[in-house]
Amino acid sequence: MIMVQRFHSIHEIDPEFIPNIEVLLQEDIASFDILVERHDSAPTGHAFTYFLFFGPTQNTPIGFAQLCLRPTPSDQLRAWYKKLAFWEKAHLSWKQLSWKIGDGSAGVCAFDPKYFRSGKDKIQELVREYEERPEVVSQEVNSIKGLQEFSSTWTPEHTHTSEAYVLEGLSKASKTYQDYLTGLATQVREDIRKGWKELHVKGQISLGDYQSPADVPKSLPIPVAQLEAWTRWGAQVLTFEREGMILGCLLVLRGKNGNVFFEPFPFEPVGESLVSDELYTQYAILKFFEMPEARRCHLMKFGSKLVFEDKEDLKFFLSQGFQQKTVVRHFQSRLRELNRPL
């Protein structure tokens, strides 16, 4: 039997549980701090619930899930004749419910594989529980395709389903970066080598590697508050530098069990850059192979895994060894006037 504990603020979660949550989410976030930042920066009115799941003989979490209740702009959704019934107040508490961890790329929940089936059944119970709440007039569920299908008791006015494609990690299947390049398709390999050559020979651009944000030259155009956050997270910073100017950088965060996360920050004007997008990816992979403990290389944007609406956009990364998963976004609404997620 699986037991569940609810928290209505991420700051209420016992610190002793945080390392286990990070292990459960090791393929999706570098640190629990990422979830804390999302919680603290959420728009006013967004109310979160965090679920920790425990096995019958364990005092450490074997599962994690998250939902968000957000206010529904009822004045914009009610017909004019309904507004004449000024004594009706139920619409003031209308909510949209979103089942997703963080930005949604991790799906609805994360469980220890040994408990996945019973954990999925428990999530289904929770979904039905919240569907019975009269103030919940719409809901969206971000689920991992093929793993997290859940049924609904609703007969909605509107339903809408779409798919998004999440860039998954690159596994360390080679011993060195050179071995990795050798294993790529010929044209991809040659394009990468040409890019490195042009960077060093024609561009006269050097690579910087700083173990702490505090060590990076003051010319790094990142706000002080953000640099302080990077320092708290124990981040490393990689740079592309030319004549004392930093053209761009990569944030490096070490997660659990050899998962390493990289986020590029280009500073050059669009259309005039000397450092290509491909070289940001390749510098991340180069550094990944230099880390003995590294097992999986992940790319991020705005602190989240890369998500694409068009599958064709993945080809650039898949050709370099990254993998993918599909997230299904399913939306339902009880309101005739609300036909898309808020």
Side-chain angles (χ1 to χ4, degrees), residues 81 89 91 130 160 179 229 236 253 277 295 311 317-318:
Y81 58 87
K89 302 295 184 184
H91 65 280
Y130 280 87
H160 176 72
D179 291 340
Q236 182 178 351
L253 297 173
D277 292 342
R295 183 179 61 87
K311 202 170 185 177
F317 299 100
L318 298 182

Side-chain angles (χ1 to χ4, degrees), residues 162-166 307-314 327 329:
S162 62
E163 293 186 351
Y165 307 97
V166 180
V307 180
F308 301 91
E309 303 297 326
D310 189 340
K311 202 170 185 177
E312 288 294 308
D313 294 335
L314 281 167
V327 170
R329 298 166 174 167

Side-chain angles (χ1 to χ4, degrees), residues 215-235:
D215 301 330
V216 183
K218 301 300 182 183
S219 57
L220 181 69
I222 293 290
V224 173
Q226 190 64 62
L227 285 174
E228 291 174 348
W230 290 3
T231 301
R232 291 196 303 271
W233 299 345

Side-chain angles (χ1 to χ4, degrees), residues 242-253:
R242 186 172 187 257
E243 298 177 353
M245 179 180 296
I246 298 179
L247 305 179
C249 75
L250 282 155
L251 171 69
V252 186
L253 297 173

Side-chain angles (χ1 to χ4, degrees), residues 170 177-178 180-182 184 188-189 191-193 195-196 199 207 238 240 250 262 264 275-290 297 299 316-317 319-322:
L170 166 75
Y177 179 68
Q178 290 303 324
Y180 155 78
L181 287 179
T182 301
L184 297 178
V188 175
R189 179 174 64 250
D191 288 345
I192 291 171
R193 286 176 172 168
W196 280 123
L199 186 81
L207 305 179
L238 309 176
F240 293 97
L250 282 155
F262 298 85
V275 184
S276 66
D277 292 342
E278 185 176 71
L279 285 180
Y280 281 94
T281 300
Q282 286 302 310
Y283 193 9
I285 296 173
L286 171 63
K287 182 53 57 179
F288 167 69
F289 276 99
E290 292 178 354
C297 171
L299 299 180
F316 170 79
F317 299 100
S319 68
Q320 297 177 61
F322 289 89

Side-chain angles (χ1 to χ4, degrees), residues 6-279:
R6 308 181 194 210
F7 302 86
H8 297 294
S9 169
I10 201 165
H11 299 287
E12 295 175 357
I13 297 176
D14 301 51
E16 64 183 289
F17 297 147
I18 291 176
N20 293 89
I21 296 172
E22 290 178 327
V23 170
L24 292 169
L25 297 173
Q26 62 184 335
E27 296 280 343
D28 294 285
I29 63 168
S31 167
F32 188 75
D33 291 332
I34 303 295
L35 294 181
V36 173
E37 184 177 48
R38 288 188 176 277
H39 175 101
D40 292 344
S41 61
T44 302
H46 286 215
F48 295 92
T49 301
Y50 302 89
F51 303 88
L52 293 187
F53 301 88
F54 298 86
T57 60
Q58 292 175 286
N59 193 35
T60 55
I62 52 89
F64 179 79
Q66 175 185 337
L67 67 78
C68 174
L69 284 168
R70 62 186 67 186
T72 300
S74 55
D75 283 343
Q76 302 172 27
L77 299 171
R78 297 169 71 225
W80 67 268
Y81 58 87
K82 291 184 179 180
K83 294 180 181 180
L84 296 177
F86 58 86
W87 56 88
E88 294 287 348
K89 302 295 184 184
H91 65 280
L92 298 176
S93 61
W94 284 353
K95 297 288 190 296
Q96 176 175 295
L97 184 152
S98 297
W99 284 102
K100 61 180 181 180
I101 297 174
D103 68 328
S105 62
V108 174
C109 56
F111 277 92
D112 182 315
K114 293 184 296 184
Y115 298 93
F116 182 78
R117 176 172 293 184
S118 54
K120 184 178 176 182
D121 291 341
K122 193 67 176 180
I123 293 289
Q124 182 67 77
E125 292 178 16
L126 292 172
V127 169
R128 289 177 179 170
E129 173 191 329
Y130 280 87
E131 284 185 332
E132 293 174 359
R133 296 191 175 190
E135 73 273 18
V136 177
V137 294
S138 63
Q139 63 175 334
E140 61 172 344
V141 179
N142 280 35
S143 57
I144 306 301
K145 188 174 184 178
L147 292 176
Q148 298 179 350
E149 289 76 11
F150 300 98
S151 61
S152 173
T153 59
W154 281 10
T155 304
E157 288 283 344
H158 296 284
T159 181
H160 176 72
T161 300
S162 62
E163 293 186 351
Y165 307 97
V166 180
L167 187 70
E168 289 287 81
L170 166 75
S171 297
K172 188 177 279 187
S174 305
K175 289 185 178 181
T176 67
Y177 179 68
Q178 290 303 324
D179 291 340
Y180 155 78
L181 287 179
T182 301
L184 297 178
T186 302
Q187 189 59 56
V188 175
R189 179 174 64 250
E190 293 307 313
D191 288 345
I192 291 171
R193 286 176 172 168
K194 180 181 178 182
W196 280 123
K197 184 176 180 180
E198 291 180 348
L199 186 81
H200 293 299
V201 177
K202 294 183 180 180
Q204 296 294 306
I205 297 171
S206 60
L207 305 179
D209 185 346
Y210 302 92
Q211 292 302 307
S212 169
D215 301 330
V216 183
K218 301 300 182 183
S219 57
L220 181 69
I222 293 290
V224 173
Q226 190 64 62
L227 285 174
E228 291 174 348
W230 290 3
T231 301
R232 291 196 303 271
W233 299 345
Q236 182 178 351
V237 179
L238 309 176
T239 60
F240 293 97
E241 302 180 23
R242 186 172 187 257
E243 298 177 353
M245 179 180 296
I246 298 179
L247 305 179
C249 75
L250 282 155
L251 171 69
V252 186
L253 297 173
R254 290 172 170 79
K256 293 290 186 180
N257 296 327
N259 287 280
V260 186
F261 296 78
F262 298 85
E263 179 167 0
F265 291 84
F267 306 131
E268 298 178 275
V270 177
E272 303 176 18
S273 58
L274 298 173
V275 184
S276 66
D277 292 342
E278 185 176 71
L279 285 180

